[in-house]
PDB file of all heavy atoms in Angstrom:
ATOM      1  N   LEU A 704       0.004  -0.907  -2.911  1.00  0.00           N
ATOM      2  CA  LEU A 704       0.427   0.473  -2.759  1.00  0.00           C
ATOM      3  C   LEU A 704       0.212   1.213  -4.079  1.00  0.00           C
ATOM      4  O   LEU A 704       1.134   1.328  -4.883  1.00  0.00           O
ATOM      5  CB  LEU A 704       1.905   0.498  -2.356  1.00  0.00           C
ATOM      6  CG  LEU A 704       2.356   1.638  -1.481  1.00  0.00           C
ATOM      7  CD1 LEU A 704       3.626   1.285  -0.780  1.00  0.00           C
ATOM      8  CD2 LEU A 704       2.472   2.920  -2.222  1.00  0.00           C
ATOM      9  N   GLU A 713      10.033  18.779 -15.124  1.00  0.00           N
ATOM     10  CA  GLU A 713      11.082  19.225 -14.197  1.00  0.00           C
ATOM     11  C   GLU A 713      11.016  18.521 -12.843  1.00  0.00           C
ATOM     12  O   GLU A 713      12.035  18.332 -12.188  1.00  0.00           O
ATOM     13  CB  GLU A 713      11.003  20.743 -13.970  1.00  0.00           C
ATOM     14  CG  GLU A 713      11.271  21.576 -15.199  1.00  0.00           C
ATOM     15  CD  GLU A 713      10.082  21.647 -16.157  1.00  0.00           C
ATOM     16  OE1 GLU A 713       8.927  21.555 -15.690  1.00  0.00           O
ATOM     17  OE2 GLU A 713      10.312  21.773 -17.374  1.00  0.00           O
ATOM     18  N   ASP A 750      14.975   5.231  -8.330  1.00  0.00           N
ATOM     19  CA  ASP A 750      15.723   5.379  -7.078  1.00  0.00           C
ATOM     20  C   ASP A 750      14.886   4.986  -5.861  1.00  0.00           C
ATOM     21  O   ASP A 750      14.906   5.649  -4.826  1.00  0.00           O
ATOM     22  CB  ASP A 750      16.238   6.818  -6.917  1.00  0.00           C
ATOM     23  CG  ASP A 750      17.111   7.237  -8.088  1.00  0.00           C
ATOM     24  OD1 ASP A 750      17.907   6.396  -8.549  1.00  0.00           O
ATOM     25  OD2 ASP A 750      16.979   8.376  -8.550  1.00  0.00           O
ATOM     26  N   GLN A 762      -0.202   1.396 -13.673  1.00  0.00           N
ATOM     27  CA  GLN A 762      -1.637   1.165 -13.606  1.00  0.00           C
ATOM     28  C   GLN A 762      -2.231   1.089 -15.013  1.00  0.00           C
ATOM     29  O   GLN A 762      -1.747   1.737 -15.941  1.00  0.00           O
ATOM     30  CB  GLN A 762      -2.325   2.287 -12.836  1.00  0.00           C
ATOM     31  CG  GLN A 762      -2.015   2.308 -11.367  1.00  0.00           C
ATOM     32  CD  GLN A 762      -2.654   3.475 -10.640  1.00  0.00           C
ATOM     33  OE1 GLN A 762      -3.611   4.078 -11.131  1.00  0.00           O
ATOM     34  NE2 GLN A 762      -2.132   3.789  -9.474  1.00  0.00           N
ATOM     35  N   THR A 767      -9.101   6.230 -12.519  1.00  0.00           N
ATOM     36  CA  THR A 767      -9.198   7.645 -12.144  1.00  0.00           C
ATOM     37  C   THR A 767      -9.391   7.880 -10.653  1.00  0.00           C
ATOM     38  O   THR A 767      -9.345   9.010 -10.200  1.00  0.00           O
ATOM     39  CB  THR A 767     -10.360   8.336 -12.905  1.00  0.00           C
ATOM     40  OG1 THR A 767     -11.588   7.667 -12.573  1.00  0.00           O
ATOM     41  CG2 THR A 767     -10.136   8.297 -14.407  1.00  0.00           C
ATOM     42  N   CYS A 776      -4.715  -3.073  -8.319  1.00  0.00           N
ATOM     43  CA  CYS A 776      -3.557  -3.673  -7.649  1.00  0.00           C
ATOM     44  C   CYS A 776      -3.913  -5.059  -7.105  1.00  0.00           C
ATOM     45  O   CYS A 776      -3.094  -5.983  -7.178  1.00  0.00           O
ATOM     46  CB  CYS A 776      -3.062  -2.782  -6.515  1.00  0.00           C
ATOM     47  SG  CYS A 776      -2.139  -1.328  -7.034  1.00  0.00           S
ATOM     48  N   ASP A 781      -2.157 -13.016  -6.091  1.00  0.00           N
ATOM     49  CA  ASP A 781      -3.021 -14.141  -5.716  1.00  0.00           C
ATOM     50  C   ASP A 781      -3.211 -14.220  -4.208  1.00  0.00           C
ATOM     51  O   ASP A 781      -3.780 -15.188  -3.702  1.00  0.00           O
ATOM     52  CB  ASP A 781      -2.416 -15.465  -6.206  1.00  0.00           C
ATOM     53  CG  ASP A 781      -2.435 -15.585  -7.716  1.00  0.00           C
ATOM     54  OD1 ASP A 781      -3.341 -15.015  -8.354  1.00  0.00           O
ATOM     55  OD2 ASP A 781      -1.538 -16.254  -8.264  1.00  0.00           O
ATOM     56  N   ASP A 805      -5.175  -8.564  14.914  1.00  0.00           N
ATOM     57  CA  ASP A 805      -6.596  -8.191  14.925  1.00  0.00           C
ATOM     58  C   ASP A 805      -7.420  -9.160  14.078  1.00  0.00           C
ATOM     59  O   ASP A 805      -8.511  -9.587  14.479  1.00  0.00           O
ATOM     60  CB  ASP A 805      -6.794  -6.766  14.411  1.00  0.00           C
ATOM     61  CG  ASP A 805      -6.323  -5.709  15.390  1.00  0.00           C
ATOM     62  OD1 ASP A 805      -6.061  -6.039  16.558  1.00  0.00           O
ATOM     63  OD2 ASP A 805      -6.208  -4.540  14.968  1.00  0.00           O
ATOM     64  N   VAL A 808      -7.900 -12.425  15.981  1.00  0.00           N
ATOM     65  CA  VAL A 808      -8.878 -12.296  17.062  1.00  0.00           C
ATOM     66  C   VAL A 808     -10.300 -12.343  16.486  1.00  0.00           C
ATOM     67  O   VAL A 808     -11.178 -13.035  17.020  1.00  0.00           O
ATOM     68  CB  VAL A 808      -8.643 -10.989  17.863  1.00  0.00           C
ATOM     69  CG1 VAL A 808      -9.815 -10.677  18.771  1.00  0.00           C
ATOM     70  CG2 VAL A 808      -7.352 -11.090  18.661  1.00  0.00           C
ATOM     71  N   VAL A 821     -10.265  -4.864   7.834  1.00  0.00           N
ATOM     72  CA  VAL A 821      -9.802  -4.527   9.178  1.00  0.00           C
ATOM     73  C   VAL A 821      -8.967  -3.270   8.993  1.00  0.00           C
ATOM     74  O   VAL A 821      -8.036  -3.247   8.192  1.00  0.00           O
ATOM     75  CB  VAL A 821      -8.947  -5.654   9.792  1.00  0.00           C
ATOM     76  CG1 VAL A 821      -8.363  -5.221  11.124  1.00  0.00           C
ATOM     77  CG2 VAL A 821      -9.783  -6.914   9.954  1.00  0.00           C
ATOM     78  N   GLY A 822      -9.321  -2.224   9.685  1.00  0.00           N
ATOM     79  CA  GLY A 822      -8.634  -0.954   9.497  1.00  0.00           C
ATOM     80  C   GLY A 822      -7.806  -0.568  10.699  1.00  0.00           C
ATOM     81  O   GLY A 822      -7.961  -1.105  11.791  1.00  0.00           O
ATOM     82  N   ALA A 823      -6.929   0.353  10.454  1.00  0.00           N
ATOM     83  CA  ALA A 823      -6.064   0.851  11.515  1.00  0.00           C
ATOM     84  C   ALA A 823      -6.274   2.345  11.684  1.00  0.00           C
ATOM     85  O   ALA A 823      -6.497   3.060  10.714  1.00  0.00           O
ATOM     86  CB  ALA A 823      -4.600   0.589  11.173  1.00  0.00           C
ATOM     87  N   VAL A 828      -2.722  12.106  13.077  1.00  0.00           N
ATOM     88  CA  VAL A 828      -3.513  12.684  11.997  1.00  0.00           C
ATOM     89  C   VAL A 828      -3.999  14.039  12.464  1.00  0.00           C
ATOM     90  O   VAL A 828      -4.378  14.202  13.623  1.00  0.00           O
ATOM     91  CB  VAL A 828      -4.728  11.788  11.647  1.00  0.00           C
ATOM     92  CG1 VAL A 828      -5.594  12.420  10.589  1.00  0.00           C
ATOM     93  CG2 VAL A 828      -4.265  10.420  11.185  1.00  0.00           C
TER      94      VAL A 828
END
Side-chain angles (χ1 to χ4, degrees):
L704 211 159
E713 296 78 29
D750 303 320
Q762 291 177 20
T767 60
C776 284
D781 292 330
D805 288 347
V808 167
V821 174
V828 177

